[in-house]
Amino acid sequence: MTAPDRPCPDFDADFRAHFRDLLVWRRDVRRFRTDPLPDGLLERLLDLACLAPSVGLSQPWRFVRVDDPARRDAVRMEFERCNAEALAAQAQDRARLYARLKLAGLREAPCHLAVFVDPDPTQGAGLGRRTMPETLAYSAVAAIQTLWLAARAEGIGLGWVSILRPEVMNGLLAVPAEWRLVGYLCIGYPAEPDDVPELERAHWEQRHPLSDVLFQR
Ligand SMILES: Cc1cc2nc3c(=O)[nH]c(=O)nc-3n(C[C@H](O)[C@H](O)[C@H](O)COP(=O)(O)O)c2cc1C
């Protein structure tokens, strides 16, 4: 293999400081303004998301933009049902706090995007996933994280909704039965950008220091 003729960019200290800001200000957003995204922006962000790594270069992510109001309503109702069940399953000391959390911006977000994984893509010829087929889903997660950062760099927020039954979502969105939902994303301009996770501000959970999760052998 020959070296590429494009020079590798210099990611300097200014860039690194900026990149850190991007990571700190990437938040899960549930409170959106309702104004739409500019034409073509979602496609541009998805092009960037497709730069994510994927097992065997399989690019198993499948994006479904949900514009149809009836389908959006059905997804919102599915969320409300699942969220009511989740509330009912909360321990007594958590239930009141859970009930106050806002866990999706499905009504306000101008853009809804479902991300599925194809569990058996021909692309990639199976490389890398024989012992760990779940790496296909991990690849789709990598695409979502890339999309999350790319969106935030444009001032756009993303909220990940997982309080849904995946097997119901295939029917609601008329996608192949074998695809598996990875995340349902609300996308739009944040009503109030913040650099602290909403669950921390709501006293549901705190972030833990690296020392809690770093092990040495
Ligand atoms: C796989 C996954 C699923 C999530 N599902 C939900 C969800 O259903 N509702 C919600 O409000 N937030 C959801 N989140 C967002 C997390 O609550 C959020 O990432 C976490 O509280 C940390 O906040 P931050 O993203 O602002 O750093 C999800 C995040 C991930 C990675």
Side-chain angles (χ1 to χ4, degrees), residues 26-28 30 79 102-104 148 160-163 182 196-199:
R26 177 220 52 81
R27 292 273 67 83
D28 188 86
R30 295 104 170 166
F79 165 78
K102 180 164 171 60
L103 295 174
W148 215 331
W160 188 322
V161 185
S162 56
I163 305 169
V182 176
V196 176
E198 182 158 335
L199 292 187

Side-chain angles (χ1 to χ4, degrees), residues 36-142:
L37 303 183
D39 278 350
L41 181 57
L42 180 69
E43 290 72 13
R44 207 148 48 74
L45 295 175
L46 290 175
D47 260 338
L48 294 174
C50 290
L51 295 174
S54 60
V55 64
L57 194 50
S58 57
Q59 300 190 293
W61 41 75
R62 303 290 178 260
F63 303 113
V64 180
R65 181 182 174 148
V66 184
D67 293 332
D68 176 39
R71 289 195 204 275
R72 283 186 180 219
D73 282 350
V75 172
R76 195 168 39 74
M77 281 157 53
E78 165 65 9
F79 165 78
E80 281 165 9
R81 176 200 157 126
C82 294
N83 202 33
E85 286 174 6
L87 171 60
Q90 292 299 312
Q92 219 180 359
D93 60 329
R94 283 264 176 176
R96 279 170 65 143
L97 180 52
Y98 187 94
R100 284 204 300 273
L101 298 174
K102 180 164 171 60
L103 295 174
L106 291 163
R107 210 182 278 277
E108 310 82 11
C111 176
H112 286 202
L113 185 79
V115 182
F116 291 86
V117 62
D118 180 342
D120 192 19
T122 50
Q123 187 176 331
L127 187 147
R129 65 177 160 95
R130 201 170 71 84
T131 54
M132 291 180 66
E134 63 273 29
T135 49
L136 289 165
Y138 300 164
S139 305
V141 171

Side-chain angles (χ1 to χ4, degrees), residues 169-199:
M169 296 297 290
N170 288 54
L172 289 184
L173 300 179
V175 300
E178 64 274 15
W179 290 7
R180 178 87 182 163
L181 184 72
V182 176
Y184 193 88
L185 311 179
C186 295
I187 302 174
Y189 293 99
E192 38 194 46
D194 207 296
D195 64 347
V196 176
E198 182 158 335
L199 292 187

Side-chain angles (χ1 to χ4, degrees), residues 141-154:
V141 171
I144 294 176
Q145 173 70 359
T146 306
L147 175 65
W148 215 331
L149 293 175
R152 190 62 192 87
E154 299 266 0

